[in-house]
Amino acid sequence: MQLNIAVFGSGRGSNFQAILSAMKRGEIPGARVHVVLSNNSSAGILDLARTNRIPALHISRKQFASEEEFVENLISILDAHNVNFIVLAGYMKKIPARVIQRFRDSIINIHPALLPEFGGEGMYGARVHEAVIASGETFSGATVHLVDEEYDRGHVVLQKRVSVQPIDTPETLAAKILEIEHEIFPKAIRMFAEGKIVEHDNKVVVT
């Protein structure tokens, strides 16, 4: 399957950079980023996209009079860029239900913990690592998962673990996990591009 990807992000775009680098190395054949969208007009991910000559657009609910108008414009942008797959790379807003329905099983996100643990509404960034350390867990990691209508509850596609050491702080744990995010996110996209991800009996199956 040829993946025409829209990347959504709110921050500096380090996972987006990892994906771009993997594409440039030829590690994700059959996939190309068609557009980058951000709710934050000053997000580094937009500058990164423009540097790589990828259309980069700021679109936020605040720009529109209603949720319906926002969603209509968002879907129009995705259609205009022939998008058939969405990657959430540090996107800090919930995806509207109509977009999820339109791109069912074709939206993935990466979460800095081993879902289903330490996920859900409000669990992002440093909050996740603080909760992991406070719990006394000896392992954490990163999870690539499908996106559905519930926060961090879509089917798991790929996970990788890292050890949590007694000396770890939220900052050192975040740094370790970011490294593996950069490793497994491109790998997950390649699995979709190669048709290795299917859904069977309401579960994600790697073929």
Side-chain angles (χ1 to χ4, degrees), residues 17-139:
Q17 179 62 73
I19 292 165
L20 280 181
S21 297
M23 287 179 172
K24 289 176 181 179
R25 293 192 300 266
E27 295 173 5
I28 316 177
R32 187 165 71 90
V33 178
H34 281 219
V35 65
V36 172
L37 304 175
S38 181
N39 61 299
N40 177 5
S41 62
S42 61
I45 195 170
L46 294 175
D47 294 330
L48 182 57
R50 291 167 185 142
T51 298
N52 286 273
R53 299 183 179 181
I54 297 170
L57 303 172
H58 168 231
I59 179 168
S60 168
R61 168 64 181 85
K62 297 176 182 178
Q63 298 169 316
F64 301 94
S66 68
E67 176 75 10
E68 182 178 359
E69 185 180 350
F70 166 62
V71 174
E72 288 288 348
N73 277 269
L74 181 55
I75 290 175
S76 293
I77 290 170
L78 297 173
D79 287 345
H81 290 276
N82 300 310
V83 170
N84 61 13
F85 197 81
I86 296 173
V87 172
L88 307 183
Y91 189 60
M92 303 305 292
K93 297 292 183 180
K94 193 171 186 179
I95 299 297
R98 277 185 56 200
V99 176
I100 292 172
Q101 292 160 8
R102 177 74 173 272
F103 294 90
R104 178 74 66 187
D105 300 329
S106 296
I107 309 175
I108 60 173
N109 179 52
I110 194 157
H111 183 77
L114 297 173
L115 294 176
E117 302 300 320
F118 304 104
E121 187 172 3
M123 290 298 286
Y124 58 87
R127 295 181 182 184
V128 177
H129 309 305
E130 289 166 358
V132 169
I133 290 172
S135 74
E137 291 284 346
T138 56
F139 287 96

Side-chain angles (χ1 to χ4, degrees), residues 88-204:
L88 307 183
Y91 189 60
M92 303 305 292
K93 297 292 183 180
K94 193 171 186 179
I95 299 297
R98 277 185 56 200
V99 176
I100 292 172
Q101 292 160 8
R102 177 74 173 272
F103 294 90
R104 178 74 66 187
D105 300 329
S106 296
I107 309 175
I108 60 173
N109 179 52
I110 194 157
H111 183 77
L114 297 173
L115 294 176
E117 302 300 320
F118 304 104
E121 187 172 3
M123 290 298 286
Y124 58 87
R127 295 181 182 184
V128 177
H129 309 305
E130 289 166 358
V132 169
I133 290 172
S135 74
E137 291 284 346
T138 56
F139 287 96
S140 189
T143 303
V144 179
H145 66 97
L146 287 168
V147 173
D148 62 16
E149 288 82 359
E150 300 295 327
Y151 282 109
D152 300 327
R153 291 300 176 187
H155 294 313
V156 170
V157 174
L158 203 58
Q159 287 185 322
K160 187 169 182 179
R161 300 198 308 176
V162 297
S163 62
V164 180
Q165 301 296 327
I167 61 171
D168 270 322
T169 65
E171 292 75 21
T172 62
L173 184 56
K176 289 196 289 188
I177 290 176
L178 190 60
E179 283 190 25
I180 62 171
E181 287 183 23
H182 294 170
E183 175 188 342
I184 68 172
F185 216 1
K187 186 181 293 186
I189 295 170
R190 177 171 181 160
M191 291 165 69
F192 278 95
E194 293 179 341
K196 292 183 177 179
I197 302 293
V198 296
E199 196 165 9
H200 179 69
D201 290 338
N202 203 33
K203 294 181 180 180
V204 166

